[in-house]
Structure formats: C-alpha cells, structure tokens
Amino acid sequence: MGDAEVNIVLVGNPNVGKSVIFNTLTKSYVTVSNYPGTTVDISKGIGKFGGQKFSIVDTPGVNSLTPYSEDERVTRDILSKGDIACIIQVADSKNLRRSLLLTLELIKLNLPLVLNLNMTDEARERGMKIDTKKLSERLGIDVVETVAVTGEGLPKLRAAIPKARIPHPRIEDILEKRHARNRIAAYLAEEVLQVSKPLKKDVAEIISRLTMRPVTGVPILILVLVFMYYFVGKFAAGAGVDFFENTVFGKIINPFFTNIIDKYVTMGIVKELLVGDYGILTMALTYAFAIIFPIVTAFFIFFGVLEDSGYLPRLSILSDRIFRTMGLNGRAVLPIILGLGCGTMATLTTRILDTKKERILVTLLLALAIPCSAQLGVIMGILSSLSGRALMIWMSAILFVIIAVGFVASKIIPGARSPFIQEIPPIRLPQISNILSKTLARLKWYLKEAVPLFVAGTLVLFVTNKIGILKWLEHLLSPLVVNMLSLPEKAADAFIIGFLRRDYGAAGLYMLSKSGALDKIQVLVSLVVITLFVPCIAQFFVMIKERGLKAALIIAAFVFVFAFAFGGVLNFVLRYMIFKLGISVI
C-alpha cells in the first residue's frame, strides 16, 4: 500500500452502497485479491484527503461480527488486527435499527468510528428523517449522511475521517451491563427517527407484495417465463435468427466471402478451413453471429429488465421454501438466476452463500441443469418449432432434476443450511438507459469471451475431423448417443463441442433439427441431454478454482453419467407412451 500510514476499514451490512463509498474515497490505486486462505475478495486502495494519505480496506458485507459465514469471518479477522486507525460503518438509512445493531457491535471494539448513513434520498422518499445530531451525541461519534451514487454528503464524510472519535463511554457501559443490543438499537432508532408521513401503500408496494406471496407470486413467475419464451424463444430465435441466418449470412456475407475464397484461394485445405463443413466462416461465425447473437441480445435485455425492476430479490423470497427442500435458502436463487446468464460467472457468485455445503450444492446444480442464456435461447428457438407440450416436458424434466438431485445431494453433502436474510430494494420502473448499458456490457463480454472459443472449437472440430479423431469419438459415444438416446451418430459432434461452449453444442442440434435429421422425440431428448450435459470448459476451470480439482472432477463425472442416463430413461418413456400406448405427448 505504498507509504500510506493510516489504515481505514469500511464495514457494513450487505447492499448498503459500501463499494460505491470505497470507490469514491480511493478513486484509483485499487487492488482486489483473495483474503489469505479464503475465496473472499478484499479490495484495497489509497485515499488522499485532508492532507493525509489513507490505506482503505473494503470488507465483505456482514450482518454481525459474530461469524456464521466465510465473509463474516474475514471481516472479523480484519477488524481484530491492531493497525486500524478508523472504522467507517456504511449504513442503510432506511434500515436504521438493523444498522445500529452492527454499530453497537463495532462500538465494543473501542476504535475510532464514523457512522455513515447512506441512501438518505430513499429514506426521505419514505418520509423518514433521522436526527443525526442527537444520534451523534448518543453514540459519541460523528454521524454523516450521504447519497453515494450522487456524491451528496461525501465531502462531509471525508472531513469526518481524520477526526474520528472513539465511541461514547456511556454507551460502552450500557453494553457491558445489559448486553441487550436489540433493545438499545430499538431505543436509539425510536429516539432519533421521525417518519413525517405514513408510508403509502402505492402501486409499487402492492406489486412487491404480490410477487413474494406464493398464491400470487407463482402465477406472476409463470407469466414472466411466458413473456421470456415469446420474446427470446419466438421473436429473437424465430424472426431474428431467420433474418440474420437466411438474409444477412445466407444471401450476403457467406456468398460474398465464398466467391472471394473460390477466386483467390487455391489450396483446398485452406478453402475447406474457411468455408467447408467445419469452416470458420460457414460454421463458427455463422453460429456465433447469425444464430446465437440475436438470441443472447434478447435474453440480456429481458434479464436487464428483471434486474432493474427489483424483481429478482423478491423471487429469492418466493423460492425460499423450494430451496429449503434442497438444503439451501432463497438466497441461492441469485446465482441460479445468474446462471441463466452465464454459468461461469454464476459459479463465482456462489461466494455469496454462507456455508461450504451451500456453495457445493449450487455449483453442482449450475453445472448440471442450469442452461446459460445463449444455450437457453437456442433451446427455446428449437422447442418453439415443436409444440407447447414439448416445452412443458423439457421444463418439467429440468425442474425435476434440479429438485431431485438437489434433495439427494443435500442429504449426502455434510453441513448445515444458513439462516435466510435478504435485503429487498424498492420496486422500480426499469430505466432504458440502465438496461441498454448492462446489455451492451454483456454483449461486449460475449464478443470478447465467447466468439474466440467458437473459432477455437471449430478449429478443434476441423483438425479432429481431418485426422480421424472426430470419427473415433463419434464411434466411442455411439453406444450412448445411438443406442441409448436413439440419436444419429452425428449428434455426438454437438455434445463434443458442447464442452467448449454449451450454446455451441445447442446450435449444432439446431442445425440438425433444421435439416430434418432429428424427429420430434430425438429433438426433445437431445435438448434435455445437452441441457444436463457437462459444463463448458470455462465453467469447469472456475469450478476447479472455487471448489478444488477433486470436487470439480467428481461433479463433472457425475453430470456426464447422469445426463446420458436420464436422457436414456426419457427416450424410453416417450417412445413407450407414443408408440405402445398411442398417447401423443409432444
């Protein structure tokens, strides 16, 4: 940290804007690294204000200094060090009582402390006014109000840091004598908080409640999924892909480059590498831009609307009861939902879960049964060409696998489920600028991370096809693909490249389906298997990083065997019902 001499530690409950405060105080010279011996990220930076240089540490969000999770253990360890000159507690002004519970714990550390009441604009909107002068007198420390996202109050916060005080001895006496933090926090909150107007039960609050109650929340969730199906599966995967594949690439781009290559490239193998069956132009770029790009764009827009509206935290409340059957709590729905965007990113976010058991369980479910956005879009696109019943069978199969495997795994993996505490932001009207900004950032990630893998995957297929390994692998998987799943041997290609990119594998099935190489049962069975198939190579590497090599290999091996076994059972059941019983289920 250079020649910085004064150490400042930022502490606070989750989702109180602590990272924004940290970025504002440091601005630059920031490093992010794992806390020694853990997978918890710690940000450190240098702040310069008031004529002094400060070394600032941003700790993970905690609900208490009594550690129940890895995050809370890391925060406690940092606060137990003897080189802290000042603690800044970043608090949510709307949840004063909960914030004061943590304040009273910090007071017992007997270190200089500043209480930063953040998000005061949202508190004001709710008619809340906090008497910061009285609260400062009661606690014996500076209390500063801020709105971190707009910069309001930040100069006062900077000015308060160099003169931070050790809390009032009277409060310390009360704590030592009574040990009743709940009552003291409630008393202080009641003494300094005024609500000038009753909270209105406006439309946003009504919507908020409806989304969290099972009776109304489940139909709303189904409605959300139906919208997603029509927007991503019908509109993007139908009209969007048709335009890009048949018009842009089919009539303009591919014919243009094929003519140029035919005219100027004389080496047959080079020509084949560029525009052959496994050509970079005709396969990699066509798959990446004509088939998947329109679909992921639509999904990212839809996901951005859900994020910006504040619906996702409410979904975690709604799903808590279901997740409890799997040894998890509603908080697990966040990495699961993120997994619908990208399994690799979602595996990293399992860090928000409190126990090792929960992190392993969610990592397993992400690897097994959560399709990424691109794969999900392609799957919806294919299913939309079958029937609504096919979609219901696919969804039911995947939900059954998630709940059944989660339930059994929760009984096998040792450990306990952590208590469920979820911060609920207000319901908001999604802002177009926010959605576009997030969508563009995610598309940039797609172009940067995914497209090169598409090209690499095509090169692998091209080379393995040329030297005969692809044919050997097809024969190796033939007993599973042909005999167990009743699929053509060519479908093995989709599963092989699915390890490079799940969506790439799904795109291979899309082309097989479109060419008429698969009947309805084969389409449905292959889609269920590719959904349950092994995670892509990027997700596999992140699993090794987060859970260790042994756990990652065990999960991948289980997923591989389970996907084909479940697909085989589904294939048998569908064929028995259709051909033996004469029931038209698709």
Side-chain angles (χ1 to χ4, degrees):
M1 301 304 296
D3 55 351
E5 296 179 352
V6 179
N7 290 320
I8 295 173
V9 179
L10 292 184
V11 182
N13 299 117
N15 304 316
V16 295
K18 192 161 48 62
S19 296
V20 182
I21 294 286
F22 172 78
N23 291 332
T24 305
L25 294 179
T26 54
K27 292 187 180 298
S28 57
Y29 311 112
V30 173
T31 61
V32 180
S33 59
N34 284 1
Y35 190 76
T38 73
T39 57
V40 177
D41 283 339
I42 298 295
S43 299
K44 298 178 181 178
I46 300 292
K48 297 177 181 176
F49 39 88
Q52 278 186 281
K53 183 183 282 188
F54 299 89
S55 168
I56 304 175
V57 180
D58 185 14
T59 61
V62 295
N63 292 304
S64 168
L65 297 188
T66 302
Y68 293 102
S69 68
E70 193 174 35
D71 286 359
E72 289 173 340
R73 275 194 294 277
V74 168
T75 299
R76 181 203 59 185
D77 289 349
I78 292 173
L79 290 173
S80 66
K81 293 179 178 178
D83 58 350
I84 298 174
C86 172
I87 299 171
I88 301 173
Q89 183 198 350
V90 184
D92 180 357
S93 298
K94 307 188 300 298
N95 293 294
L96 184 61
R97 181 176 172 180
R98 186 185 74 152
S99 301
L100 288 173
L101 282 171
L102 184 59
T103 309
L104 295 176
E105 284 194 270
L106 292 169
I107 282 174
K108 295 189 74 175
L109 298 176
N110 208 32
L111 291 168
L113 176 65
V114 173
L115 176 57
N116 169 209
L117 297 176
N118 194 29
M119 298 192 266
T120 52
D121 55 337
E122 294 184 13
R124 286 196 295 266
E125 287 176 4
R126 299 181 181 200
M128 298 177 179
K129 184 179 179 183
I130 299 171
D131 188 338
T132 54
K133 184 179 178 183
K134 184 182 285 186
L135 183 59
S136 175
E137 290 172 356
R138 295 289 185 270
L139 298 174
I141 58 176
D142 284 339
V143 179
V144 182
E145 292 183 305
T146 60
V147 182
V149 292
T150 63
E152 180 183 329
L154 290 175
K156 290 183 179 178
L157 179 62
R158 290 192 185 91
I161 293 171
K163 54 182 183 181
R165 294 173 284 165
I166 294 176
H168 202 295
R170 185 182 165 199
I171 286 291
E172 192 176 62
D173 291 343
I174 293 172
L175 291 174
E176 291 298 330
K177 289 174 182 175
R178 299 185 183 178
H179 298 284
R181 288 191 298 118
N182 275 314
R183 277 188 293 167
I184 298 172
Y187 171 76
L188 285 173
E190 186 177 342
E191 194 178 24
V192 301
L193 177 64
Q194 294 180 340
V195 181
S196 59
K197 59 183 180 181
L199 295 178
K200 291 193 297 184
K201 293 181 180 178
D202 55 15
V203 175
E205 286 192 23
I206 294 171
I207 293 174
S208 175
R209 292 179 184 182
L210 291 177
T211 54
M212 291 187 287
R213 291 173 178 169
V215 174
T216 50
V218 171
I220 290 174
L221 174 60
I222 292 173
L223 199 61
V224 169
L225 293 175
V226 169
F227 274 123
M228 185 171 75
Y229 170 74
Y230 277 99
F231 184 61
V232 179
K234 286 286 187 182
F235 172 68
V241 170
D242 183 60
F243 173 73
F244 277 95
E245 186 186 11
N246 297 325
T247 304
V248 178
F249 275 80
K251 294 181 180 177
I252 302 173
I253 295 178
N254 283 346
F256 174 76
F257 283 106
T258 301
N259 289 336
I260 290 179
I261 289 165
D262 284 340
K263 190 174 181 180
Y264 295 104
V265 178
T266 55
M267 289 183 66
I269 192 167
V270 176
K271 188 183 295 184
E272 197 175 343
L273 174 62
L274 295 173
V275 294
D277 289 341
Y278 298 112
I280 291 174
L281 284 171
T282 49
M283 186 175 188
L285 298 186
T286 301
Y287 278 27
F289 290 100
I291 297 175
I292 297 177
F293 186 79
I295 294 170
V296 294
T297 302
F299 183 85
F300 289 156
I301 291 172
F302 193 87
F303 193 73
V305 172
L306 295 183
E307 276 186 314
D308 214 45
S309 65
Y311 176 69
L312 295 181
R314 288 162 177 81
L315 183 58
S316 69
I317 302 286
L318 177 68
S319 57
D320 181 57
R321 184 172 296 178
I322 296 175
F323 277 99
R324 272 189 275 168
T325 64
M326 297 183 276
L328 300 166
N329 61 45
R331 206 175 179 191
V333 79
L334 297 178
I336 294 290
I337 291 292
L338 282 174
L340 294 174
C342 171
T344 305
M345 180 174 62
T347 303
L348 285 170
T349 62
T350 56
R351 296 177 181 189
I352 69 170
L353 303 175
D354 291 331
T355 67
K356 183 179 179 181
K357 174 179 181 174
E358 291 171 332
R359 290 191 285 272
I360 292 175
L361 271 171
V362 175
T363 301
L364 168 63
L365 296 178
L366 285 169
L368 175 64
I370 308 301
C372 67
S373 59
Q375 187 191 35
L376 180 62
V378 177
I379 288 171
M380 285 191 169
I382 300 173
L383 287 172
S384 66
S385 66
L386 295 182
S387 66
R389 283 176 292 181
L391 174 65
M392 291 305 297
I393 293 173
W394 176 83
M395 285 182 62
S396 301
I398 301 305
L399 286 174
F400 170 78
V401 167
I402 291 174
I403 295 173
V405 172
F407 176 77
V408 174
S410 70
K411 304 299 179 188
I412 297 172
I413 299 172
R417 180 171 59 88
S418 63
F420 179 47
I421 301 173
Q422 176 65 52
E423 180 77 13
I424 303 297
I427 284 280
R428 304 185 185 92
L429 191 65
Q431 300 296 308
I432 293 177
S433 58
N434 288 347
I435 296 167
L436 290 179
S437 172
K438 291 175 182 177
T439 301
L440 288 175
R442 284 166 176 152
L443 287 177
K444 186 178 176 183
W445 161 84
Y446 169 75
L447 295 174
K448 184 179 176 183
E449 301 288 335
V451 174
L453 279 175
F454 277 43
V455 176
T458 303
L459 287 173
V460 169
L461 280 177
F462 180 82
V463 172
T464 53
N465 181 53
K466 280 296 175 187
I467 61 179
I469 291 180
L470 187 60
K471 202 68 182 173
W472 176 77
L473 284 173
E474 287 177 355
H475 285 304
L476 188 67
L477 290 175
S478 181
L480 297 174
V481 174
V482 178
N483 299 335
M484 183 181 285
L485 304 181
S486 302
L487 298 176
E489 198 172 79
K490 191 73 175 171
D493 291 3
F495 296 118
I496 293 168
I497 62 176
F499 182 58
L500 292 173
R501 285 280 306 180
R502 279 182 160 190
D503 44 341
Y504 203 6
L509 294 176
Y510 174 85
M511 296 304 284
L512 281 177
S513 171
K514 194 174 180 184
S515 67
L518 302 176
D519 61 28
K520 287 184 177 181
I521 299 176
Q522 289 173 320
V523 170
L524 187 53
V525 170
S526 64
L527 290 180
V528 170
V529 175
I530 199 78
T531 306
L532 301 178
F533 200 53
V534 291
C536 71
I537 192 167
Q539 186 176 349
F540 180 67
F541 282 137
V542 170
M543 285 166 54
I544 294 174
K545 179 176 180 292
E546 295 294 307
R547 305 283 89 85
L549 178 61
K550 182 180 176 183
L553 286 174
I554 291 173
I555 290 173
F558 167 77
V559 168
F560 180 86
V561 173
F562 184 88
F564 279 102
F566 188 84
V569 172
L570 179 65
N571 179 47
F572 173 80
V573 171
L574 289 175
R575 290 183 183 281
Y576 185 82
M577 294 179 72
I578 293 173
F579 298 120
K580 294 289 183 182
L581 303 180
I583 302 173
S584 179
V585 293
I586 300 179

